[in-house]
Amino acid sequence: MSESDKIKKNSLFSLISITSRLFANFVVFMILARYYGPETFGQFTFAHTLAMTFLLFADFGFDILLTTEIAKSKKNAALIFQQIFSLKLIFTIISLVGMFLFTLVFDISNEARELAIVFSFFMVFTTLTNFLFALFKGFEKLNLESIISFTINIGLIIFTVAAIYFRINVIFVAVGFTISRMIGFILGIKFSMNLVPNIKFSLLFNDLKNIRGKVLVFGFHFLFSFLFFQLDTLLLALLKGDYYVGIYQSVFKLIMLPLVLPEIFINVLLPLLSRLNIENHKQWKKTGSIMSKILFIIIIPVSLILFIYAEEIIDIIYGLQNYHEAVNILKIFSLIVFVRFCLEPFALMLTTSNRQIVRMYVVITAAIVNLVLNIIFIPYYGLLGAAFVSLACNLFVGILYIIVNIKLFKEWFVNSKSVIILISSLILYYFIEDLLHINLWNGLFIIVAIYSCLAYFYFFSKEEKSLLLSYNFTSRKT
């Protein structure tokens, strides 16, 4: 199969995997928010966020490490898998115990504590399933992940709708989350045995010198990169309570939808860029450049829509009666998602050029800054304080990534086209928001149409359009 066909197929499969998961989460959390109200929704999302936080320690970068190592040496896949799996299992057990202790030690509501206990098992099955997904990505077999993701997420939606219909306690919805991930893990084992017939799930701690250092770098990066983006939710729960978490997470779950696109690029291009950095440095840079331009031209209209029509979007999805405070939070998060789209290509270039340690230092610093600022601002400014701290920390990370990739930044963004696109965005905002007061649906059509034309007729070169239309980022000479 050609490189072009691989990218095309893996892009589709990654889209299925990620969108099925995010769509399921979006639908489930939207239903829960509307049906149970902010307080119960806050308890549920706190427990879910807590599980995702401990999931970080269980994952500890093992998934990305497994993908990149297998992409470089598929013939040694069984040995690489067994070595990293042994460490992964230990971290998973420690995470499970740690989550149990957290629920016992910290002062949280009884409802949130019960939900957290159920979600601790969700965390275990999720981290083990993700590890098997990383194996599939290393072989660039994203179709296997898509089958599992689609199956368990559709099942989760059906279960949640049934739970609401029969008016059962919210804790059973948490049980449904856990069962869905358990089914995914069972399917993952079956597929992995077909993919790597000699794969072993037994422990092996011999010859770990080659991966021990990499594990620490990837692990600390993975842990702290999540913390600086999710720590605010945990601190809101501890400093303000379940209601504030419910409002904040209603926005957070919403902005996870556009973040699906960078995740698709990472899934598809991580193994490819890891290989190209060794085999063909020019193609590595060209592929990263196209990725950055796609994300840039897509996120500008998305951010505009989220900022201009924040009130209408919250009203349609959650209802303004209970979630009016979420409007200003969504406006701030529209800026955060813009920053994250722009920084992701530079982050991926660091990882695939064996400079992951730079990312590690950056996100550790950002997490510490996030913790300190949130402790200061949340007690006084509540939701707005947490949102502005998140924006500041993401800007901080983005600036540092640009500094260490300054040559790429100059090549990709220091040009008239990028500047004109940004200026036109400010002008368009003024006309739609302040001058003409265009409604949501008309504004949505106008913004999408304008940026589609700008992308096709102005922003991308003829060569780039040819590469994009063929999905063949790496076949042309650069």
Side-chain angles (χ1 to χ4, degrees):
M1 183 185 296
S2 68
E3 207 73 76
S4 173
D5 290 336
K6 280 185 181 180
I7 293 175
K8 191 182 302 183
K9 289 187 176 181
N10 284 332
S11 297
L12 175 61
F13 292 132
S14 183
L15 178 65
I16 293 171
S17 299
I18 297 172
T19 53
S20 66
R21 185 188 75 238
L22 288 181
F23 177 74
N25 284 342
F26 175 74
V27 170
V28 168
F29 284 114
M30 181 184 68
I31 293 173
L32 292 175
R34 295 187 74 101
Y35 182 78
Y36 289 104
E39 186 171 356
T40 300
F41 181 65
Q43 295 163 357
F44 190 91
T45 52
F46 165 75
H48 183 264
T49 303
L50 184 65
M52 299 305 291
T53 303
F54 277 94
L55 178 71
L56 292 177
F57 186 76
D59 284 352
F60 204 68
F62 294 121
D63 300 348
I64 298 176
L65 179 60
L66 180 66
T67 297
T68 55
E69 291 299 303
I70 288 180
K72 296 173 185 175
S73 181
K74 292 183 176 64
K75 63 180 180 180
N76 296 317
L79 176 62
I80 294 170
F81 177 88
Q82 191 176 7
Q83 288 177 328
I84 301 178
F85 175 76
S86 302
L87 297 172
K88 169 90 170 183
L89 193 60
I90 292 175
F91 276 68
T92 300
I93 294 171
I94 295 173
S95 298
L96 178 62
V97 174
M99 191 164 172
F100 279 149
L101 291 175
F102 184 97
T103 60
L104 296 174
V105 172
F106 285 91
D107 184 21
I108 57 178
S109 64
N110 291 331
E111 293 82 359
R113 182 174 290 108
E114 292 173 357
L115 287 165
I117 291 173
V118 175
F119 269 111
S120 64
F121 295 100
F122 163 85
M123 180 272 297
V124 170
F125 288 117
T126 299
T127 189
L128 295 177
T129 304
N130 288 346
F131 191 67
L132 296 177
F133 287 168
L135 172 68
F136 304 153
K137 291 172 188 173
F139 281 94
E140 298 180 62
K141 297 286 186 181
L142 274 68
N143 59 310
L144 302 178
E145 178 185 356
S146 68
I147 294 171
I148 297 173
S149 294
F150 185 82
T151 301
I152 64 177
N153 287 308
I154 293 300
L156 179 61
I157 293 175
I158 295 172
F159 181 88
T160 303
V161 171
I164 298 299
Y165 180 79
F166 290 106
R167 300 177 181 274
I168 65 175
N169 192 289
V170 71
I171 197 165
F172 290 103
V173 179
V175 172
F177 270 73
T178 304
I179 293 174
S180 70
R181 294 308 182 267
M182 181 177 66
I183 294 172
F185 178 56
I186 293 171
L187 291 173
I189 292 175
K190 178 182 177 181
F191 289 161
S192 64
M193 289 180 171
N194 293 333
L195 182 63
V196 186
N198 59 336
I199 194 171
K200 294 181 181 179
F201 291 86
S202 57
L203 301 182
L204 177 66
F205 296 104
N206 297 328
D207 302 321
L208 294 179
K209 292 182 180 179
N210 293 331
I211 66 170
R212 194 175 298 158
K214 293 179 180 180
V215 165
L216 292 176
V217 172
F218 276 81
F220 280 114
H221 164 262
F222 188 79
L223 178 65
F224 284 95
S225 64
F226 183 88
L227 281 177
F228 95 80
F229 196 45
Q230 293 271 16
L231 195 58
D232 41 12
T233 296
L234 298 178
L235 290 173
L236 276 170
L238 296 175
L239 298 175
K240 284 294 185 177
D242 295 334
Y243 173 82
Y244 285 83
V245 176
I247 298 296
Y248 199 76
Q249 278 291 303
S250 68
V251 176
F252 197 89
K253 300 303 180 188
L254 183 60
I255 63 101
M256 291 304 292
L257 289 176
L259 287 174
V260 64
L261 190 59
E263 192 172 350
I264 290 173
F265 273 101
I266 293 170
N267 279 346
V268 174
L269 297 181
L270 177 61
L272 175 63
L273 286 171
S274 297
R275 178 161 48 82
L276 286 178
N277 182 255
I278 298 173
E279 298 175 357
N280 192 321
H281 198 262
K282 288 185 177 180
Q283 288 185 352
W284 172 76
K285 287 175 63 177
K286 184 64 176 180
T287 304
S289 173
I290 294 177
M291 172 188 175
S292 70
K293 294 189 75 170
I294 295 172
L295 294 179
F296 180 73
I297 199 64
I298 287 177
I299 194 52
I300 291 178
V302 171
S303 294
L304 275 175
I305 292 167
L306 291 175
F307 190 92
I308 295 172
Y309 298 108
E311 184 170 344
E312 291 88 338
I313 291 170
I314 292 296
D315 189 28
I316 291 171
I317 297 175
Y318 298 115
L320 285 176
Q321 182 176 356
N322 291 324
Y323 290 90
H324 188 270
E325 291 178 89
V327 173
N328 288 329
I329 307 303
L330 180 56
K331 287 179 178 290
I332 299 170
F333 267 91
S334 70
L335 303 177
I336 293 173
V337 75
F338 172 77
V339 174
R340 291 191 70 86
F341 264 62
C342 292
L343 68 83
E344 198 58 59
F346 298 105
L348 190 58
M349 299 307 273
L350 286 173
T351 297
T352 56
S353 60
N354 296 315
R355 291 189 291 165
Q356 183 75 2
I357 193 169
V358 176
R359 293 187 67 179
M360 181 190 76
Y361 288 132
V362 169
V363 296
I364 288 176
T365 305
I368 295 171
V369 171
N370 185 284
L371 175 64
V372 173
L373 291 180
N374 271 315
I375 290 175
I376 295 172
F377 285 96
I378 286 178
Y380 292 100
Y381 301 103
L383 294 167
L384 286 175
F388 276 116
V389 168
S390 183
L391 175 59
C393 288
N394 277 278
L395 280 170
F396 171 75
V397 170
I399 291 170
L400 290 182
Y401 282 166
I402 288 172
I403 290 173
V404 296
N405 285 291
I406 191 64
K407 290 183 179 179
L408 292 178
F409 176 75
K410 289 178 179 178
E411 290 180 22
W412 295 354
F413 287 107
V414 182
N415 54 69
S416 60
K417 287 187 176 182
S418 298
V419 173
I420 290 173
I421 291 291
L422 288 174
I423 293 174
S424 65
S425 303
L426 296 175
I427 295 172
L428 184 60
Y429 165 76
Y430 171 73
F431 272 92
I432 292 178
E433 174 75 354
D434 296 331
L435 195 62
L436 301 178
H437 306 291
I438 300 172
N439 64 41
L440 170 61
W441 302 114
N442 290 334
L444 181 65
F445 174 79
I446 291 170
I447 292 172
V448 171
I450 288 175
Y451 281 94
S452 297
C453 292
L454 283 173
Y456 187 80
F457 294 107
Y458 177 71
F459 193 58
F460 291 104
S461 66
K462 289 183 178 180
E463 180 191 7
E464 288 168 340
K465 284 186 286 188
S466 177
L467 295 177
L468 288 172
L469 293 173
S470 66
Y471 287 84
N472 193 356
F473 296 173
T474 63
S475 64
R476 303 286 183 88
K477 293 181 180 180
T478 57

